[in-house]
Amino acid sequence: MTKVTANTRIDKISVESTQTLEPNLILPGSTLGILGGGQLGRMMAMAARTLGYQISVLDPDVLAPCAALADTHVRADFHDIAGAVQLAAVCDVATYEFENVGVELAQTLADAGKLPQGTSLLAATQHRLREKQTILGAGGWVAPYWPVRTQADLTQAAAEVGLPMVVKTCHGGYDGKGQWQVKSTAGLASVWQQMVGSLPPDMQDIRGMQVWEAPFVAEQFVPFVKELSVVVARSQAGEIRTFPVAENIHQDHILRFSVVPARIADEIAVKAADLASQLATSLNLVGVLGVEMFLTAQGELWVNELAPRPHNTAHYTLDACATSQFEQHVRAVCGLPLDQAELQTPVVMANVLGEHLPLLLNHLSNWPTRMKLHLYGKAEARRGRKMGHVNVLCDTPEEGLQALHSLGIWELADLVHTTVSHNC
Ligand code: AMP
């Protein structure tokens, strides 16, 4: 097993060759296929429709948020190759809205010449160990980590990366699900029980499993001062545009707010944008990529996660940028040139979860001016479920946070007066 530390920076290698392609131009009027019919697919579809494309979506759920905007709906599971064949028959080009669609299914579209993004980055982001190797290979930094297959591996991980550490499932975890914090060696046994209990029965036998197929990864707890993200777009011709850096606030592992511009020093913003561009080039990206980062007190940026699709932390671009992340993604996938990504006004984005929605709708007359509501058309408003988001356009981030705070729906009293400190 190789110990991977903060100092292990592999020379730049790429997932695919970094050569650029002649753009395969898919003109408006053609059909865009979208794998996945959630809110990201829906907002992609809206941008594509505005540009004049038709939409075909693949999703098993008849009530998928994107289905209402699609001309055709292929009702199939995200691993159903027959469904992919059906989608390929009705679309001119395709993309995916989330990273857990089956790689084989996506490859079916790639083999038909209809997935300009390819499947390498998709496959890399489906497993946290592959993802970390990919980030290191592309010249980024990640927290020291250790693959975990057994309880003995977990004990060793504590020694290798140090405590406290964060243990995560390598496949399929989101919004803090499949994640455990270990603060002391006394807690290892009970965390191990919870980890094993979280695995589907067919994954509980780890005999013969290769290290890089490990179901869990333990990583050093990063004492970050802020969580940042950059969404970067790259066209088929190799043109790159980064959206402004977002400062992200999570509560209970769910993204609550994105503040833009991030309250960080200018040189950190430049460094974050350069890092995202470097990853985009090295990974031969087509479309948009969300790069989640931790900013440390020393001014270092550690990459936490990559998302090769539009990202929740860039929903602010819908109202605050010259071009939204969704339009930029559609442009890239369809071989069109990218458009400008500059911020036109400061903005605070707040996610509208199930518990917020009735309160928000009951406060219609109190809404601040320049608050833009985006709802995803989901029928059932469950607690913690992302129902939509609001973008509050403002003159300063503090003013936007204050406007949201005054609604009394979100917990953000502590966030209103955060200032820019020396390194962040
Ligand atoms: P993830 O599922 O990897 O996006 O993690 C969800 C959230 O958990 C992140 O946004 C952080 O707030 C926190 N987190 C994840 N990994 C770490 C880490 N290594 N150190 C500190 N906090 C972390």
Side-chain angles (χ1 to χ4, degrees):
M1 210 179 277
T2 321
K3 182 177 179 184
V4 182
T5 70
N7 298 325
T8 317
R9 181 129 124 169
I10 301 169
D11 280 340
K12 284 182 208 169
I13 52 165
S14 43
V15 169
E16 291 172 48
S17 85
T18 54
Q19 74 189 34
T20 50
L21 303 170
E22 268 305 299
N24 185 13
L25 185 61
I26 307 290
L27 285 173
S30 312
T31 298
L32 172 67
I34 304 178
L35 298 171
Q39 62 260 25
L40 300 177
R42 177 181 167 104
M43 290 184 274
M44 262 185 212
M46 284 173 161
R49 275 212 172 285
T50 302
L51 285 166
Y53 291 94
Q54 308 210 45
I55 306 297
S56 190
V57 67
L58 180 149
D59 194 292
D61 184 0
V62 70
L63 295 176
C66 184
L69 281 118
D71 300 279
T72 45
H73 183 176
V74 176
R75 290 206 42 210
D77 181 82
F78 301 123
H79 296 272
D80 179 349
I81 304 296
V85 171
Q86 238 182 300
L87 186 75
V90 293
C91 73
D92 299 290
V93 67
T95 184
Y96 48 84
E97 62 125 29
F98 77 136
E99 56 272 31
N100 287 324
V101 296
V103 172
E104 278 180 40
L105 180 147
Q107 191 60 47
T108 304
L109 285 146
D111 292 344
K114 295 191 173 176
L115 192 73
Q117 292 162 279
T119 55
S120 301
L121 187 53
L122 178 72
T125 53
Q126 286 187 359
H127 194 279
R128 287 193 192 263
L129 286 165
R130 282 201 298 271
E131 182 179 44
K132 288 178 189 302
Q133 288 178 294
T134 301
I135 294 164
L136 289 167
W141 300 87
V142 297
Y145 65 93
W146 192 260
V148 176
R149 296 163 298 174
T150 62
Q151 190 170 356
D153 287 344
L154 185 68
T155 305
Q156 196 177 353
E160 298 290 344
V161 306
L163 293 174
M165 66 181 182
V166 182
V167 186
K168 301 176 180 178
T169 46
C170 283
H171 184 79
Y174 66 97
D175 287 348
K177 294 184 179 70
Q179 200 174 117
W180 301 267
Q181 228 190 88
V182 184
K183 293 189 173 143
S184 70
T185 45
L188 287 171
S190 91
V191 165
W192 175 251
Q193 289 311 318
Q194 293 172 44
M195 288 164 63
V196 172
S198 75
L199 286 178
D202 61 327
M203 281 187 67
Q204 291 189 359
D205 183 1
I206 46 83
R207 279 171 298 181
M209 185 181 279
Q210 299 297 306
V211 168
W212 298 109
E213 295 168 350
F216 303 103
V217 59
E219 56 186 61
Q220 196 177 84
F221 179 86
V222 181
F224 57 81
V225 289
K226 281 187 195 292
E227 293 193 70
L228 306 176
S229 60
V230 174
V231 167
V232 54
R234 185 171 176 275
S235 72
Q236 293 178 36
E239 180 192 8
I240 290 187
R241 304 270 178 151
T242 54
F243 286 101
V245 184
E247 172 188 343
N248 304 313
I249 293 116
H250 295 81
Q251 288 161 2
D252 301 327
H253 297 284
I254 301 178
L255 177 73
R256 303 297 166 134
F257 312 103
S258 290
V259 179
V260 189
R263 294 166 297 173
I264 53 175
D266 289 348
E267 58 268 29
I268 301 288
V270 170
K271 201 162 128 179
D274 287 352
L275 172 59
S277 301
Q278 177 185 328
L279 293 173
T281 306
S282 184
L283 301 176
N284 207 21
L285 176 73
V286 172
V288 297
L289 172 75
V291 184
E292 292 180 26
M293 311 168 192
F294 298 129
L295 172 65
T296 68
Q298 292 72 38
E300 296 161 336
L301 292 171
W302 304 65
V303 179
N304 178 36
E305 238 179 17
L306 299 179
R309 51 158 172 85
H311 198 251
N312 193 170
T313 64
H315 287 358
Y316 75 86
T317 62
L318 280 165
D319 298 301
C321 286
T323 308
S324 78
Q325 62 166 343
F326 300 101
E327 179 179 343
Q328 207 76 304
H329 183 74
V330 171
R331 282 171 168 265
V333 166
C334 294
L336 308 181
L338 301 181
D339 203 347
Q340 292 186 350
E342 279 74 18
L343 192 67
Q344 298 191 312
T345 165
V347 57
V348 178
M349 190 277 318
N351 270 332
V352 177
L353 305 182
E355 62 271 32
H356 301 136
L357 189 56
L359 296 170
L360 189 63
L361 298 181
N362 286 339
H363 279 74
L364 277 173
S365 54
N366 296 343
W367 284 11
T369 54
R370 298 198 293 163
M371 183 176 90
K372 306 296 170 192
L373 174 65
H374 300 258
L375 289 182
Y376 308 146
K378 297 180 184 177
E380 204 190 332
R382 290 192 301 273
R383 186 172 184 79
R385 188 180 197 203
K386 290 177 184 168
M387 303 301 291
H389 66 272
V390 292
N391 288 328
V392 178
L393 310 181
C394 42
D395 293 330
T396 62
E398 285 67 30
E399 184 202 299
L401 287 164
Q402 189 63 58
L404 275 173
H405 180 55
S406 63
L407 277 170
I409 298 173
W410 288 275
E411 291 288 320
L412 35 58
D414 297 346
L415 309 172
V416 176
H417 300 297
T418 309
T419 47
V420 179
S421 65
H422 177 63
N423 273 325
C424 60

